[in-house]
Amino acid sequence: MALTTLAQIVGVNVRTARAQRGLTVAELATRSGVSKGTLVGVESGRSNPTIETLNALADALAVPLTDLISAPATSSPVVRRGAPVRRPVDQQRAARMSHSLLTEVWHLRLAAGQGVEREAHAASTTEVVLVHAGTLRCGPIDDPAVLNVGDSITFDASCRHCYQSAGDGDVDATVVMLTTPQGARPL
């Protein structure tokens, strides 16, 4: 379903942020001071919340207000080195790190022709991979991407995934793993 109204965008963003934090509707209602009925209307995209309601929800979810009112990104999870720049300066956030996330940064090295498969991580784990040298096939086992130097990918690591050297040379990459710890609640 295409998100066509601000109310729909806010609804999806609030519902997603609440679910990522493991909160029920009742728990978020209590934390924010917003009635359960109002919260259900907001999450369904059927109501137009006031700025006070949005601020209360953003505070309770520990996210900037802009996260609740911004349309979700529609870009591909794979970013290719040398992709055309539309403006003299182009920057894109690859990932946002928050106090409620466990963040690990790994340096990955694979010898030519080598690879490894990894079991699924926790349901709330995302990996961001940036290739510095070589050609790397990585991502979910059923749909890995082939990345060259300067390419990156962001994927849900709650499924089996792989890292494989896909070229003649060694691979050098950075892997950032972002996990919401089980039972974590925003401050």
Side-chain angles (χ1 to χ4, degrees):
M1 174 182 120
L3 300 177
T4 57
T5 68
L6 181 57
Q8 291 173 322
I9 291 168
V10 168
V12 168
N13 290 340
V14 169
R15 187 173 50 254
T16 300
R18 177 181 58 76
Q20 288 173 338
R21 285 153 183 77
L23 296 171
T24 65
V25 170
E27 289 170 326
L28 180 55
T30 299
R31 286 176 183 241
S32 66
V34 172
S35 76
K36 190 174 171 183
T38 297
L39 183 53
V40 168
V42 168
E43 286 195 0
S44 69
R46 292 188 310 253
S47 70
N48 290 310
T50 65
I51 192 69
E52 290 82 13
T53 298
L54 290 173
N55 274 325
L57 292 172
D59 287 346
L61 292 166
V63 299
L65 177 61
T66 56
D67 281 10
L68 298 184
I69 61 174
S70 299
T74 57
S75 63
S76 165
V78 177
V79 179
R80 300 288 179 193
R81 177 182 175 201
V85 177
R86 295 187 183 108
R87 299 176 300 263
V89 175
D90 186 31
Q91 68 183 41
Q92 297 174 350
R93 180 178 62 217
R96 172 182 284 165
M97 294 181 201
S98 156
H99 69 275
S100 62
L101 293 176
L102 172 63
T103 305
E104 297 180 20
V105 179
W106 295 80
H107 186 183
L108 174 68
R109 292 182 184 163
L110 293 171
Q114 298 300 305
V116 64
E117 289 187 8
R118 296 288 184 217
E119 292 299 319
H121 295 298
S124 58
T125 303
T126 298
E127 290 193 12
V128 181
V129 181
L130 173 63
V131 178
H132 305 292
T135 302
L136 176 66
R137 177 179 293 110
C138 74
I141 293 288
D142 61 345
D143 190 26
V146 176
L147 308 175
N148 294 300
V149 174
D151 292 346
S152 67
I153 186 172
T154 302
F155 64 91
D156 177 356
S158 65
C159 61
R160 285 182 55 83
H161 52 283
C162 63
Y163 303 96
Q164 301 167 335
S165 173
D168 296 333
D170 295 348
V171 171
D172 186 39
T174 299
V175 179
V176 178
M177 189 167 28
L178 306 164
T179 305
T180 302
Q182 185 174 9
R185 299 285 195 245
L187 296 175

